[in-house]
Amino acid sequence: MEVDRRKDVKDFDDSKVGVKGLLDSSGTTLTTIPLIFVHPPDQRFSDLKPTSAGEIPVIDFSGLVNNSDHQRRPEIVNQIREAASTWGFFQVINHGIPRDVINRIISAVRSFHEQPMDIKKMFYGRGQSVCFLSNSDLYQSKAASWRDTLKVVLGPEPPKMEKIPEVCRDEVIMWAHHEIVVGEMLMELMSEGLGVGPGRLKEMGCLESRIMLGQYYPYCPQPDLTVGIVPHTDQSIVTLLVQDQVGGLQVKHGEEWVNVKPIEGAITVNVGDFLQVISNDKYKSGEHRVLANGSLNSRVSIPFFFHPAASNNTELDTTDYYGPLPELLSPNNPPLYRNFTLSEFWRQARSKELCMKNLMDGFKIVRGHQDQRKSV
């Protein structure tokens, strides 16, 4: 069975059609999903009853973007600190990005995925800075998820313009510009929430490495047997996400899964593993998942990830160490994680399937074996 699965996975990958291609090639006749997408019963999302955990916080940036109301900044910092430490997720409204710009990037990503298969095949791959693929952990996971992805690495070195698909090229470049502006503002506020200088995260290069994913969740004829994305945490500093109105994103809060209700024009922000580590657990990396889409309307979501970049901006640095910020540490608040290099962090991240939540466990300190090397 395992041998057959490996062959089926490779055949699917070699076809370069993605999940949308499976639907397109079958017309309207696809009623069952291939076995490689069927998850074991204990890994399916059976707990879909309404939860009592409430809704993720919504934070209004009115007055902050244009600096018209300086008195609101401490209030917003407090709201972000509370949301980042208890949920790991929040939504931001009135953030300064025009609604039309958001609609254009969502529409452009949808247009890419709904092109003829022969055009999309030209972009299919797994190692390129710009590529179309299905399931980044296809070969590591025990079951595939029902989604396709357009990946664009936008920093530290931007891709050549001609590498970005023409159907969404202008929109991707414009979106990257807006996300950097909002990302820098958010990192200042989150730094202040930690009690360090507003430029601290930027000084560490946390805005320099940038990846955009254009996620596409087509109709699934058997959504109860598979998933859109397995439960996981992001490996980023922070992730900024926009989505259409179809819905399907859920966040874990306590022991319950909470639906993230789409708010038109809002940006959903979540804390990543890297920020949890350098904040010494003051901020929590938010676990989340996406349901398989049983709606005839395809779902589009666009996460934008910010990671630290190597100091030379060309390759992973092997001498700079990252870990809990020294300013946050004291005898009463010792480091919970050892220091590590970017290359070590990514080596661990890439060796695991997406649902493995023990990435940070590999850097946790066992008392008596603390790493004394200095962090950046």
Side-chain angles (χ1 to χ4, degrees), residues 140-356:
Q140 291 86 16
S141 64
K142 297 178 178 61
S145 299
W146 198 257
R147 75 178 182 281
D148 293 331
T149 302
L150 170 65
K151 174 185 174 182
V152 185
V153 178
L154 291 157
E157 294 296 328
K160 294 180 180 179
M161 291 285 287
E162 62 270 21
K163 295 290 186 181
I164 303 175
E166 185 177 4
V167 70
C168 59
R169 183 179 300 155
D170 293 342
E171 290 81 3
V172 167
I173 296 302
M174 177 175 58
W175 187 242
H177 166 74
H178 284 285
E179 289 286 78
I180 291 170
V181 172
V182 173
E184 183 168 353
M185 177 170 54
L186 268 167
M187 288 197 195
E188 286 186 0
L189 297 167
M190 298 183 91
S191 292
E192 291 180 37
L194 290 173
V196 299
R200 187 64 168 99
L201 292 175
K202 183 178 180 180
E203 292 166 1
M204 294 174 62
C206 294
L207 283 160
E208 297 304 312
S209 182
R210 304 178 291 275
I211 300 174
M212 190 201 90
L213 300 183
Q215 306 279 40
Y216 185 86
Y217 303 84
Y219 162 71
C220 180
Q222 293 179 299
D224 293 340
L225 298 184
T226 188
V227 304
I229 292 184
V230 293
H232 69 286
T233 57
D234 291 346
Q235 296 144 5
S236 57
I237 290 289
V238 292
T239 305
L240 278 58
L241 175 140
V242 291
Q243 60 178 325
D244 62 18
Q245 299 300 297
V246 174
L249 173 64
Q250 295 185 329
V251 172
K252 193 170 188 181
H253 188 59
E255 296 303 315
E256 296 183 300
W257 288 97
V258 179
N259 292 318
V260 178
K261 296 180 181 179
I263 300 175
E264 192 169 354
I267 293 178
T268 301
V269 179
N270 68 278
V271 175
D273 294 341
F274 214 110
L275 184 53
Q276 177 167 334
V277 169
I278 64 177
S279 73
N280 209 38
D281 278 2
K282 287 183 177 293
Y283 293 158
K284 306 297 184 183
S285 183
E287 188 175 4
H288 52 291
R289 68 187 190 184
V290 177
L291 309 180
N293 181 20
S295 167
L296 292 178
N297 297 318
S298 59
R299 175 179 184 261
V300 170
S301 70
I302 306 169
F304 196 100
F305 305 91
F306 288 98
H307 304 94
S311 58
N312 59 11
N313 282 348
T314 58
E315 59 183 286
L316 291 181
D317 198 292
T318 58
T319 57
D320 287 345
Y321 284 88
Y322 292 80
L325 294 175
E327 306 96 301
L328 303 180
L329 306 179
S330 69
N332 294 326
N333 186 35
L336 302 176
Y337 302 92
R338 66 176 176 84
N339 295 336
F340 51 85
T341 64
L342 285 177
S343 56
E344 183 182 6
F345 181 85
W346 287 116
R347 188 165 57 249
Q348 286 212 33
R350 290 165 181 158
S351 68
K352 300 178 183 299
E353 61 179 301
L354 191 61
C355 66
M356 298 294 285

Side-chain angles (χ1 to χ4, degrees), residues 49 56 63 73 86 97 108-110 120 155 176 236 275 292 297 342:
K49 61 184 182 299
I56 70 169
R73 188 177 183 96
T86 56
I97 302 180
V109 167
R110 185 182 302 279
K120 288 192 296 183
S236 57
L275 184 53
N297 297 318
L342 285 177

